């Protein structure tokens, strides 16, 4: 299926701006372009409260976080990791996305400003992300007024971090997670997959751009096989929380996201998977695109299902007690 009309028009508008490809510039130039793109998100839904916090990572570095709370007693807490190839993006730039997710799920959303490469290479982003998850778990009752379901979510490189957080929480007996939301996630560093070399997929994100991101984040190719970098290489995916996985038809990351969904299913993990036809990488967070709504519907339905299941189990436990 070809790209939908709105996406084609969006790409034409971007081309009219005459900006060079991301991989042709520096991280600083890419961050400036990313900040400009954030304006396309549109108005942010109002929240009951917004709080700024920080947590100390394993190396002593500070990790800023922004908490957005849609109602007085949120039903859950979603820790959200933004995309941007571990090089660009920020909690502030993804706040509208987070607020929309909060509004539609009745969950508080914690936006994590993990430190970026190349100034802070792998595994700093992983360590920062886990410090934020531990903070969220420790502060859950204060945020929601009671213990509510805790979830992780992220898009692209943020989806990579969300998947790694689910693995780490399992392996280190960390926070119990009710759901992992993986939006066109990076799960591997194999640049020869069919979706990577397909000329029709060299759009908002290209093979050259992903090589550029990986070279900044983790220059050593051998270490890219580590599960904390490429979760598809984890030996065992059993015992992980249920997952919702979104991929885009015209995305270089499509095949590795779908391979991860398949491996999760083979390991006995419940997976809500959908390939979004006619869409490109970034469709979920570019809220101006109609395809974004389809992505939100899938995610919101999965979150609400996880919340309902957790609430039903809590009632059953209370009745048994």
């Amino acid at each position: 299926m070809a790209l939908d009309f709105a996406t084609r028009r969006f790409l034409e508008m971007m081309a009219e701006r005459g900006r060079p490809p991301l991989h042709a510039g520096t991280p600083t130039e890419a961050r400036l372009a990313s900040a400009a793109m954030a304006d396309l998100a549109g108005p942010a839904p109002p929240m009951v409260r917004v709080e700024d916090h920080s947590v100390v990572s394993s190396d002593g570095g500070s990790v800023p976080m922004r908490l957005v709370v849609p109602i007085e007693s949120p039903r859950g807490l979603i820790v959200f990791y933004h995309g941007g190839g571990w090089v660009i993006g920020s909690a502030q730039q993804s706040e509208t996305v987070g607020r929309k997710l909060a509004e539609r799920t009745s969950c508080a959303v914690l936006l994590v400003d993990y430190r970026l490469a190349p100034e802070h290479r792998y595994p700093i982003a992983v360590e920062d992300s886990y410090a934020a998850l531990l903070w969220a778990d420790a502060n859950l009752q204060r945020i929601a007024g009671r213990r509510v379901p805790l979830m992780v979510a992220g898009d692209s490189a943020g989806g990579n971090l969300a998947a790694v957080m689910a693995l780490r929480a399992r392996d280190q007996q960390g926070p119990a997670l009710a759901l992992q939301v993986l939006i066109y996630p990076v799960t591997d560093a194999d640049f020869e997959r069919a979706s990577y070399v397909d000329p029709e997929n060299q759009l908002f994100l290209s093979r050259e751009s992903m090589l550029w991101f990986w070279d900044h984040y983790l220059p050593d190719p051998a270490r890219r096989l580590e599960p904390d970098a490429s979760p598809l290489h984890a030996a065992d995916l059993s015992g992980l929380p249920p997952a919702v996985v979104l991929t885009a038809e015209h995305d270089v990351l499509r095949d590795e996201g779908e391979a991860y969904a398949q491996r999760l299913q083979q390991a006995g993990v419940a997976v809500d998977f959908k390939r979004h036809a006619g869409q490109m990488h970034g469709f979920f967070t570019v809220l101006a695109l109609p395809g974004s709504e389809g992505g939100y519907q899938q995610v919101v339905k999965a979150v609400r299902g996880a919340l309902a299941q957790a609430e039903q189990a809590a009632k059953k436990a209370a009745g048994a007690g």
Side-chain angles (χ1 to χ4, degrees):
M1 179 178 178
L3 285 171
D4 67 23
F5 174 79
T7 302
R8 293 199 306 271
R9 181 60 189 136
F10 172 80
L11 289 171
E12 289 169 0
M13 291 172 58
M14 295 298 293
E16 288 168 3
R17 296 186 180 187
R19 289 178 177 160
L22 179 146
H23 58 272
T26 66
T28 299
E29 291 169 336
R31 288 167 189 165
L32 290 173
S34 174
M37 279 289 299
D39 295 337
L40 298 176
M47 296 285 106
V48 166
R49 67 180 190 272
V50 176
E51 302 172 2
D52 287 324
H53 299 279
S54 65
V55 66
V56 177
S57 191
S58 60
D59 68 345
S62 180
V63 184
M65 304 175 294
R66 175 160 291 182
L67 178 72
V68 297
V69 185
I71 57 177
E72 289 295 345
S73 300
R75 295 178 65 192
L77 174 58
I78 301 170
V79 182
F80 188 87
Y81 304 102
H82 68 80
W86 312 280
V87 175
I88 62 178
S90 69
Q92 182 179 5
Q93 291 172 26
S94 58
E95 185 170 346
T96 298
V97 170
R99 285 187 180 217
K100 183 177 179 181
L101 189 58
E103 179 187 52
R104 296 184 61 171
T105 62
S106 299
C107 291
V109 174
L110 183 68
L111 300 154
V112 182
D113 240 345
Y114 57 89
R115 287 170 289 172
L116 301 176
E119 296 87 349
H120 303 282
R121 298 191 193 275
Y122 171 88
I124 292 297
V126 175
E127 298 297 337
D128 289 359
S129 296
Y130 195 61
L133 180 60
L134 293 176
W135 183 93
D137 185 58
N139 288 273
L140 194 56
Q141 188 154 341
R142 182 194 67 78
I143 292 168
R146 64 203 186 285
R147 293 292 301 184
V148 293
L150 179 62
M151 294 161 271
V152 291
D155 65 291
S156 194
N160 167 279
L161 293 170
V164 171
M165 291 306 99
L167 285 163
R168 180 169 284 204
R170 180 200 65 182
D171 295 343
Q172 298 190 9
Q173 291 74 54
L177 299 177
L179 187 69
Q180 51 178 322
V181 180
L182 312 180
I183 303 165
Y184 33 78
V186 180
T187 67
D188 199 3
D190 180 356
F191 311 113
E192 303 306 321
R193 292 180 182 274
S195 61
Y196 253 106
V197 299
D198 187 341
E200 293 188 2
N201 294 348
Q202 313 306 313
L203 301 167
F204 198 52
L205 180 72
S206 67
R207 181 178 184 274
E208 289 77 12
S209 295
M210 279 306 302
L211 285 164
W212 185 85
F213 280 132
W214 273 106
D215 285 344
H216 283 303
Y217 180 55
L218 182 47
D220 182 356
R223 295 201 65 192
R224 294 174 184 174
L225 301 179
E226 296 177 7
D228 275 356
S230 296
L232 189 60
H233 290 273
D236 179 16
L237 298 184
S238 64
L240 292 173
V244 53
V245 182
L246 291 69
T247 63
E249 180 183 9
H250 297 289
D251 182 3
V252 294
L253 301 181
R254 184 195 67 212
D255 288 355
E256 64 195 74
E258 296 180 3
Y260 196 68
Q262 184 178 33
R263 277 207 58 206
L264 286 169
Q265 291 174 322
Q266 291 170 345
V269 177
V271 179
D272 174 357
F273 164 73
K274 182 178 180 180
R275 176 193 288 187
H276 289 258
Q279 301 305 312
M280 67 173 182
H281 188 86
F283 79 91
F284 185 90
T285 55
V286 181
L287 302 180
L289 294 178
S292 178
E293 177 58 25
Y296 267 89
Q297 288 179 4
Q298 181 186 357
V299 171
V300 170
K301 181 180 179 181
V303 170
R304 288 177 177 171
L307 293 172
Q309 186 175 9
E311 290 165 359
Q312 185 177 16
K315 288 179 182 179
K316 185 175 181 180

